[in-house]
């Protein structure tokens, strides 16, 4: 999952898919599969025994290489990710990681300095995150882009979230219930603050004083001009823009092959399913942080499959989505 590209929402969908697919198996109660992302003492979801197909969701290329994604059995696994408009992603990264979490003042020079440091994840990120074969990482931009898209089973686009997930559903034979979500980490909301990017680890929430307020992002006239016309930004983001354009073109081609009218109809159905889930579940779901920024003391008491991902799944189980397929 790529930083600030709907990663928490998408990891929740990955968990939801994995759980639902396993629950649809006739022998699902006989298996308690482990979440491979973490150490043995933390490899079951916080609610305890949750039948689930093997699932992994990671940030960063070092982690991806460590997990040997290149050695996966392509016949038995699905590897997917989403990319986001590079400028929008950079703005979100600065305000979330620096302003909200780091308490950095959102001044233009602070923002520009942040973008100038490669390790800050502001720019030139997609190929660094997506190409997990170490020996290939010094290839040309064109070669790396080709390798990235050959390596993944699906690459979606955040700005086309509904279309992307509908296409994924159609390609993989998923159900509407597999793709339900309630948005997480929205501007003006609260972040549980448990993920530490510097160490790529999760903090114990009981040791954290409070939730982190997500400061809404904005662009000053100076930063607007920087993103619009600065050669510095254009040079730093050109590879990200290439990946983003290829992802959009690939999605367009797939939609065309599936039938645009069919995809458009399914997008309407999916939006209706999400609206039903929001109406029924948003007000009752217990999150790691509530609307006042108060942390839920015991993460086992939340309605999330892991930390702040997959929240609302208990309520989703009660929904009757049969009417969705009546939409024309």
């Amino acid at each position: 999952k790529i930083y600030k590209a709907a990663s928490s929402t998408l990891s929740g969908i990955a968990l939801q898919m994995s759980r639902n697919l396993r629950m649809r198996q006739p022998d699902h109660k006989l298996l308690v599969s482990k979440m491979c992302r973490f150490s043995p003492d933390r490899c079951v979801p916080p609610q305890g025994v949750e039948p689930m197909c093997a699932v992994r969701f990671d940030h960063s290329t070092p982690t991806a290489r460590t997990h040997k994604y290149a050695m996966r059995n392509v016949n038995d696994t699905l590897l997917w990710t989403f990319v986001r408009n590079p400028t929008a992603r950079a703005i979100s990264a600065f305000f979330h990681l620096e302003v909200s979490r780091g308490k950095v003042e959102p001044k233009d020079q602070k923002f520009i300095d942040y973008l100038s440091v490669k390790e800050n994840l502001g720019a030139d990120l997609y190929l660094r995150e997506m190409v997990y074969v170490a020996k290939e990482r010094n290839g040309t931009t064109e070669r790396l882009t080709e390798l990235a898209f050959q390596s993944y089973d699906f690459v979606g686009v955040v700005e086309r979230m509904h279309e992307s997930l509908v296409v994924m559903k159609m390609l993989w034979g998923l159900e509407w219930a597999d793709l339900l979500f309630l948005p997480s980490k929205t501007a003006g909301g609260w972040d549980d603050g448990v993920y530490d990017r510097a160490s790529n680890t999760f903090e114990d929430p009981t040791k954290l004083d409070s939730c982190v307020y997500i400061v809404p992002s904005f662009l000053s006239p100076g930063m607007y001009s920087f993103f619009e016309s600065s050669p510095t930004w254009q040079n730093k983001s050109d590879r990200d823009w290439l990946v983003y354009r290829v992802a959009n073109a690939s999605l367009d081609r797939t939609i065309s092959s599936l039938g645009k009218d069919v995809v458009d109809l399914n997008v309407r159905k999916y939006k209706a399913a999400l609206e039903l889930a929001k109406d029924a579940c948003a007000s009752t779901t217990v999150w790691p942080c509530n609307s006042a920024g108060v942390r839920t003391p015991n993460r086992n008491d939340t309605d999330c499959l892991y930390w702040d991902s997959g929240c609302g799944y208990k309520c989703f189980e009660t929904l009757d989505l049969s009417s969705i397929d009546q939409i024309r």
Side-chain angles (χ1 to χ4, degrees):
K1 55 182 186 175
I2 293 173
Y3 284 101
K4 303 316 298 173
S7 57
S8 293
T9 295
L10 294 170
S11 61
I13 289 175
L15 287 165
Q16 182 90 349
M17 286 166 50
S18 300
R19 183 174 183 274
N20 288 359
L21 288 168
R22 186 59 197 153
M23 292 289 283
R24 288 200 285 272
Q25 302 302 312
D27 62 341
H28 72 269
K29 293 184 178 180
L30 302 179
L31 174 68
V32 180
S33 68
K34 296 185 176 181
M35 293 175 64
C36 309
R37 169 67 175 82
F38 302 100
S39 56
D41 61 330
R42 300 177 63 190
C43 61
V44 293
Q47 280 70 29
V49 178
E50 288 289 349
M52 189 176 291
C53 295
V55 59
R56 178 177 290 152
F57 43 94
D58 302 302
H59 279 311
S60 84
T61 45
T63 304
R65 290 199 299 272
T66 299
H67 286 156
K68 301 179 180 178
Y69 285 175
M71 298 173 64
R72 71 188 180 100
N73 185 331
V74 297
N75 295 317
D76 294 332
T77 61
L78 292 169
L79 181 63
W80 57 281
T81 192
F82 272 55
V83 296
R84 184 179 181 182
N85 175 299
T87 299
R89 199 203 61 77
I91 295 168
S92 180
F94 176 70
F95 273 86
H96 187 86
L97 299 172
E98 300 298 304
V99 178
S100 299
R101 288 197 176 189
K103 310 304 179 187
V104 171
E105 194 173 2
K107 298 291 187 181
D108 288 5
Q109 193 57 51
K110 295 281 189 182
F111 202 163
I112 293 171
D113 290 345
Y114 170 78
L115 295 173
S116 70
V117 179
K118 184 176 182 180
E119 288 71 20
N120 280 347
L121 311 173
D124 192 22
L125 181 67
Y126 294 152
L127 292 180
R128 289 192 286 138
E129 290 255 331
M130 293 174 67
V131 178
Y132 49 75
V133 182
K135 67 180 181 180
E136 298 277 4
R137 292 172 59 74
N138 294 320
T140 65
T141 296
E142 291 73 17
R143 169 58 183 157
L144 291 175
T145 303
E146 179 184 24
L147 181 65
F149 281 86
Q150 288 176 347
S151 302
Y152 282 72
D153 296 289
F154 186 80
V155 179
V157 178
V158 171
E159 286 77 11
R160 303 171 67 182
M161 177 79 80
H162 296 128
E163 283 179 284
S164 297
L165 290 172
V166 161
V167 167
M168 203 164 73
K169 174 187 182 295
M170 295 174 69
L171 292 175
W172 296 347
L174 302 172
E175 297 183 4
W176 295 122
D178 303 332
L179 303 176
L180 297 179
F181 68 90
L182 298 174
S184 60
K185 289 186 172 67
T186 55
W190 298 88
D191 176 23
D192 60 11
V194 299
Y195 183 69
D196 179 14
R197 178 173 64 83
S199 63
N200 194 34
T201 59
F202 287 82
E203 302 289 343
D204 182 349
T206 62
K207 297 179 181 179
L208 298 174
D209 294 332
S210 62
C211 299
V212 177
Y213 178 69
I214 303 174
V215 179
S217 60
F218 66 89
L219 279 186
S220 68
M223 287 310 300
Y224 180 86
S225 176
F226 175 84
F227 283 120
E228 283 290 305
S229 59
S230 167
T232 300
W233 172 246
Q234 292 170 8
N235 290 337
K236 282 187 172 295
S237 62
D238 60 349
R239 298 207 310 173
D240 287 347
W241 280 109
L242 174 60
V243 172
Y244 185 70
R245 288 194 295 270
V246 172
N248 273 280
S250 176
L251 182 60
D252 286 338
R253 287 194 297 271
T254 306
I255 289 173
S256 178
S257 68
L258 292 171
K260 190 175 186 307
D261 290 345
V262 178
V263 173
D264 288 345
L265 173 60
N266 278 321
V267 168
R268 293 197 296 273
K269 292 179 179 181
Y270 183 38
K271 288 181 177 180
L274 289 175
E275 194 64 27
L276 192 156
K278 178 182 176 182
D279 291 344
C281 304
S283 63
T284 60
T285 293
V286 179
W287 294 77
C289 297
N290 68 17
S291 59
V294 177
R295 183 182 301 282
T296 301
N298 187 339
R299 66 183 174 133
N300 292 344
D301 293 334
T302 71
D303 294 324
C304 306
L305 283 168
Y306 202 82
W307 299 115
D308 59 355
S309 292
C311 299
Y313 79 98
K314 293 179 181 178
C315 179
F316 296 160
E317 288 182 334
T318 69
L319 300 180
D320 180 4
L321 300 177
S322 58
S323 62
I324 298 302
D325 284 322
Q326 304 304 313
I327 295 174
R328 294 291 182 265

